[in-house]
Amino acid sequence: QVQIVESGGGLVQPGGSLRLSCAASINLFSYYDMGWYRQAPGKQRELVAGITSRGTTNYTDAVKGRFTISRDNAKRAVYLQMNSLKPEDTAVYYCNRKWAPYISWGQGTQVTVSS
């Protein structure tokens, strides 16, 4: 059964850091471009970071220079290191394929940035 499980979220003060993890039980995981998405209350889900099968990364402007996406194909895992967090980073974070067709979405992990 294809499954995605995100973890690592929590409550952090502005300027703090978190590392999110995504475990993806996907066959041929190493061939897929993967991404981290987030959805804030009342907003659409957006892609914030992507990583190709070869490890090339890209970021939305709002997180560039603060977030780092990485992957471990042997573990079928994707990570998101988030530094210098801001209140506007508060959202539920999800991982999935970067391109459609998407895998069934996991439950996500809540990140709350607040003092």
Side-chain angles (χ1 to χ4, degrees):
Q1 182 179 355
V2 176
Q3 188 176 14
I4 292 178
V5 179
E6 300 95 346
S7 62
L11 174 63
V12 63
Q13 292 186 342
S17 298
L18 284 173
R19 185 177 189 246
L20 306 184
S21 297
C22 167
S25 60
I26 307 169
N27 289 333
L28 304 179
F29 171 84
S30 63
Y31 288 90
Y32 294 147
D33 296 350
M34 297 295 294
W36 278 98
Y37 300 76
R38 68 185 181 189
Q39 186 168 20
K43 295 188 177 181
Q44 289 189 334
R45 187 176 292 162
E46 62 171 342
L47 176 68
V48 296
I51 185 166
T52 69
S53 59
R54 295 189 176 187
T56 301
T57 60
N58 67 285
Y59 304 90
T60 191
D61 286 346
V63 308
K64 202 171 293 184
R66 301 188 297 121
F67 290 11
T68 302
I69 187 172
S70 60
R71 66 190 296 162
D72 184 333
N73 289 334
K75 295 182 179 179
R76 291 188 286 183
V78 186
Y79 306 100
L80 187 67
Q81 177 67 44
M82 306 187 297
N83 299 327
S84 302
L85 283 161
K86 304 176 180 180
E88 51 263 43
D89 295 318
T90 295
V92 179
Y93 284 72
Y94 304 86
C95 81
N96 209 310
R97 293 182 64 179
K98 187 178 177 184
W99 312 104
Y102 300 106
I103 301 160
S104 295
W105 294 88
Q107 292 190 340
T109 186
Q110 175 71 49
V111 172
T112 303
V113 185
S114 175
S115 55

